[in-house]
Amino acid sequence: MGNRLLLRYVPFFQIDSSADEQYEAELERVLELRRASLSQYMLAVRSEIEGLWLELMMSDEEKDEFDGFIDGEYSLSRQVIR
């Protein structure tokens, strides 16, 4: 049958409290990395949009209609697509 991976079940109430603190710290670290990556991505996309606006010779009024471009919030929860 080959090698089997055996996982040991540990009930939640038996987990060391320091493991919970380590989990919370790691979760916060990963969320911060995600926020940093998301902001870098948004800046790159905005730069690309500005280039397209220039090529399309869009007016300032047309650009102002896209309010999602101006918003400084870098969040996955924000829905700007209508």
mmCIF file of all heavy atoms in Angstrom, residues 1 12 19 32 34 45 55 57 70 74 78:
data_model
loop_
_atom_site.group_PDB
_atom_site.id
_atom_site.type_symbol
_atom_site.label_atom_id
_atom_site.label_comp_id
_atom_site.label_asym_id
_atom_site.label_seq_id
_atom_site.Cartn_x
_atom_site.Cartn_y
_atom_site.Cartn_z
ATOM 1 N N MET A 1 0.801 -1.198 0.000
ATOM 2 C CA MET A 1 0.000 0.000 0.000
ATOM 3 C C MET A 1 0.846 1.266 0.000
ATOM 4 O O MET A 1 0.330 2.322 -0.238
ATOM 5 C CB MET A 1 -0.910 0.019 1.218
ATOM 6 C CG MET A 1 -2.037 -0.939 1.179
ATOM 7 S SD MET A 1 -3.402 -0.157 2.010
ATOM 8 C CE MET A 1 -4.703 -1.002 1.200
ATOM 9 N N PHE A 12 -9.176 21.035 20.093
ATOM 10 C CA PHE A 12 -8.856 22.456 20.205
ATOM 11 C C PHE A 12 -8.545 22.863 21.640
ATOM 12 O O PHE A 12 -7.619 23.617 21.883
ATOM 13 C CB PHE A 12 -10.023 23.289 19.658
ATOM 14 C CG PHE A 12 -9.786 24.760 19.749
ATOM 15 C CD1 PHE A 12 -8.914 25.379 18.873
ATOM 16 C CD2 PHE A 12 -10.408 25.520 20.718
ATOM 17 C CE1 PHE A 12 -8.680 26.738 18.944
ATOM 18 C CE2 PHE A 12 -10.182 26.876 20.800
ATOM 19 C CZ PHE A 12 -9.310 27.483 19.914
ATOM 20 N N ALA A 19 0.398 28.654 21.255
ATOM 21 C CA ALA A 19 0.163 28.364 19.842
ATOM 22 C C ALA A 19 -0.883 29.329 19.289
ATOM 23 O O ALA A 19 -0.779 29.780 18.144
ATOM 24 C CB ALA A 19 -0.287 26.922 19.655
ATOM 25 N N GLU A 32 -0.587 41.857 6.768
ATOM 26 C CA GLU A 32 0.208 43.044 6.466
ATOM 27 C C GLU A 32 0.935 42.874 5.121
ATOM 28 O O GLU A 32 1.001 43.809 4.320
ATOM 29 C CB GLU A 32 1.214 43.327 7.579
ATOM 30 C CG GLU A 32 2.017 44.587 7.377
ATOM 31 C CD GLU A 32 1.186 45.845 7.229
ATOM 32 O OE1 GLU A 32 0.152 45.969 7.920
ATOM 33 O OE2 GLU A 32 1.560 46.707 6.405
ATOM 34 N N ARG A 34 -0.114 41.062 2.665
ATOM 35 C CA ARG A 34 -1.163 41.173 1.648
ATOM 36 C C ARG A 34 -1.507 42.634 1.385
ATOM 37 O O ARG A 34 -1.646 43.053 0.241
ATOM 38 C CB ARG A 34 -2.413 40.407 2.073
ATOM 39 C CG ARG A 34 -3.500 40.437 1.002
ATOM 40 C CD ARG A 34 -4.701 39.672 1.405
ATOM 41 N NE ARG A 34 -5.495 40.496 2.302
ATOM 42 C CZ ARG A 34 -6.711 40.218 2.685
ATOM 43 N NH1 ARG A 34 -7.279 39.099 2.297
ATOM 44 N NH2 ARG A 34 -7.368 41.008 3.487
ATOM 45 N N VAL A 45 -1.455 49.313 -11.398
ATOM 46 C CA VAL A 45 -2.658 49.353 -12.234
ATOM 47 C C VAL A 45 -3.049 50.795 -12.532
ATOM 48 O O VAL A 45 -3.403 51.137 -13.666
ATOM 49 C CB VAL A 45 -3.824 48.590 -11.558
ATOM 50 C CG1 VAL A 45 -5.143 48.856 -12.260
ATOM 51 C CG2 VAL A 45 -3.530 47.099 -11.527
ATOM 52 N N GLU A 55 -3.310 57.717 -24.045
ATOM 53 C CA GLU A 55 -3.448 57.210 -25.415
ATOM 54 C C GLU A 55 -4.830 57.493 -25.989
ATOM 55 O O GLU A 55 -4.972 57.785 -27.175
ATOM 56 C CB GLU A 55 -3.192 55.697 -25.453
ATOM 57 C CG GLU A 55 -1.746 55.305 -25.283
ATOM 58 C CD GLU A 55 -1.552 53.801 -25.365
ATOM 59 O OE1 GLU A 55 -2.232 53.153 -26.186
ATOM 60 O OE2 GLU A 55 -0.715 53.292 -24.607
ATOM 61 N N MET A 57 -6.703 59.934 -25.129
ATOM 62 C CA MET A 57 -6.931 61.382 -25.060
ATOM 63 C C MET A 57 -8.227 61.712 -24.314
ATOM 64 O O MET A 57 -9.054 62.495 -24.782
ATOM 65 C CB MET A 57 -6.942 61.992 -26.462
ATOM 66 C CG MET A 57 -5.602 61.873 -27.151
ATOM 67 S SD MET A 57 -5.550 62.633 -28.785
ATOM 68 C CE MET A 57 -6.390 61.409 -29.772
ATOM 69 N N ILE A 70 -9.340 57.473 -7.743
ATOM 70 C CA ILE A 70 -8.873 58.458 -6.766
ATOM 71 C C ILE A 70 -8.811 57.885 -5.357
ATOM 72 O O ILE A 70 -7.979 58.258 -4.553
ATOM 73 C CB ILE A 70 -9.791 59.702 -6.791
ATOM 74 C CG1 ILE A 70 -9.731 60.335 -8.180
ATOM 75 C CG2 ILE A 70 -9.406 60.709 -5.733
ATOM 76 C CD1 ILE A 70 -10.792 61.366 -8.442
ATOM 77 N N TYR A 74 -6.848 50.543 -0.270
ATOM 78 C CA TYR A 74 -6.402 49.326 -0.931
ATOM 79 C C TYR A 74 -7.021 48.148 -0.197
ATOM 80 O O TYR A 74 -6.469 47.628 0.758
ATOM 81 C CB TYR A 74 -4.881 49.211 -0.911
ATOM 82 C CG TYR A 74 -4.175 50.428 -1.480
ATOM 83 C CD1 TYR A 74 -3.365 51.220 -0.696
ATOM 84 C CD2 TYR A 74 -4.355 50.767 -2.801
ATOM 85 C CE1 TYR A 74 -2.730 52.323 -1.235
ATOM 86 C CE2 TYR A 74 -3.729 51.872 -3.345
ATOM 87 C CZ TYR A 74 -2.911 52.641 -2.558
ATOM 88 O OH TYR A 74 -2.291 53.734 -3.080
ATOM 89 N N ARG A 78 -13.482 46.240 -1.125
ATOM 90 C CA ARG A 78 -14.082 47.371 -1.846
ATOM 91 C C ARG A 78 -14.493 46.915 -3.241
ATOM 92 O O ARG A 78 -13.698 46.376 -3.988
ATOM 93 C CB ARG A 78 -13.104 48.520 -1.958
ATOM 94 C CG ARG A 78 -13.605 49.635 -2.837
ATOM 95 C CD ARG A 78 -13.240 50.975 -2.282
ATOM 96 N NE ARG A 78 -13.516 51.999 -3.251
ATOM 97 C CZ ARG A 78 -14.605 52.742 -3.222
ATOM 98 N NH1 ARG A 78 -15.476 52.569 -2.270
ATOM 99 N NH2 ARG A 78 -14.805 53.674 -4.123
#
